[in-house]
């Protein structure tokens, strides 16, 4: 696919912050599209409402989830996996909005990963106290493809570790409009989000939204 079709003249990160080889934060890179992104999330949630899912071990997750794109990531007692339909509606996930795909492609390219064409977007909704434990993204077929993660709403502390769960972690403050990209030697590093602090954002209220783009299959 010709990436020129996804030209985005407003894609101007305020600055690039390198976390480690293969991982960067593009500060403010989603700000120009903040309102369009949030409107798209609302439209997706009408068709595929946010759900609180359980891990294979039976633990309830504190983060509400939905998906868009050809595939969606789900978790339940049967395991972690991608599938084409919502477990609740049994309908296909809503299509990935063009603005989502455009931002993900441009962010990946800015970070040095050309030809990224995501087929899955996991949307996480955090409320104060919600967190994401350290984990690896390893349910995808091709670890040569990067991960692109867009933050909207309340600020959060992103933990970025090593290739073992016990490795030391860096703490990276993420604010509204930041985009994190990791791949290459950083692709399988453990990462997570510390419990979200109480706050109020002018566009999202007491929520943080996170869009995570992957090439699943």
């Amino acid at each position: 696919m010709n990436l020129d079709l996804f030209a985005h003249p407003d894609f101007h990160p305020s600055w690039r912050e390198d976390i480690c080889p293969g991982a960067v934060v593009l500060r403010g890179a989603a700000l120009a599209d903040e309102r369009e992104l949030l409107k798209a999330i609302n439209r997706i949630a009408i068709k595929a409402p946010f759900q609180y899912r359980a891990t294979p071990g039976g633990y309830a997750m504190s983060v509400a989830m939905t998906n868009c794109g050809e595939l969606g990531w789900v978790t339940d007692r049967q395991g972690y996996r991608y599938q084409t339909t919502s477990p609740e509606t049994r309908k296909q996930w809503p299509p990935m909005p063009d603005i989502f795909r455009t931002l993900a492609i441009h962010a990946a390219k800015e970070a040095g990963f050309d030809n990224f064409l995501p087929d899955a977007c996991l949307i996480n909704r955090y409320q104060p106290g919600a967190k994401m434990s350290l984990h690896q993204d390893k349910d995808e077929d091709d670890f040569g493809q990067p991960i692109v993660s867009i933050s909207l709403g309340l600020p959060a502390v992103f933990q970025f570790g090593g290739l073992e769960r016990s490795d030391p972690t860096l703490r990276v403050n993420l604010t509204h409009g930041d985009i994190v990209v990791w791949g290459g030697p950083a692709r399988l590093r453990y990462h997570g989000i510390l419990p979200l602090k109480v706050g109020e954002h002018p566009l999202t209220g007491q929520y943080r939204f996170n869009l995570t783009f992957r090439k699943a299959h």
Side-chain angles (χ1 to χ4, degrees), residues 58-124:
Y59 295 99
M61 300 189 72
S62 61
V63 176
M65 301 178 171
T66 188
N67 291 274
C68 65
E70 298 171 35
L71 295 161
W73 186 87
V74 298
T75 174
D76 55 26
R77 296 302 292 266
Q78 280 68 54
Y80 305 121
R81 64 192 180 279
Y82 285 97
Q83 59 185 54
T84 58
T85 58
S86 162
E88 290 74 31
T89 67
R90 298 185 180 180
K91 296 180 180 178
Q92 289 189 325
W93 299 107
M96 189 183 299
D98 287 343
I99 186 61
F100 281 22
R101 184 176 287 103
T102 298
L103 269 180
I105 289 171
H106 276 265
K109 192 171 185 178
E110 182 79 10
F113 301 101
D114 293 333
N115 303 317
F116 176 55
L117 292 176
D119 55 11
C121 175
L122 171 64
I123 307 172
N124 290 330

Side-chain angles (χ1 to χ4, degrees), residues 105-162:
I105 289 171
H106 276 265
K109 192 171 185 178
E110 182 79 10
F113 301 101
D114 293 333
N115 303 317
F116 176 55
L117 292 176
D119 55 11
C121 175
L122 171 64
I123 307 172
N124 290 330
R125 186 185 69 192
Y126 292 77
Q127 290 179 273
K131 65 179 182 179
M132 187 67 69
S133 299
L134 286 174
H135 64 282
Q136 294 171 300
D137 286 2
K138 57 181 182 180
D139 299 315
E140 299 75 37
D141 290 343
D142 182 3
F143 295 154
Q145 294 287 325
I147 307 293
V148 175
S149 176
I150 300 176
S151 292
L152 298 169
L154 290 178
V157 178
F158 180 60
Q159 290 183 290
F160 204 68

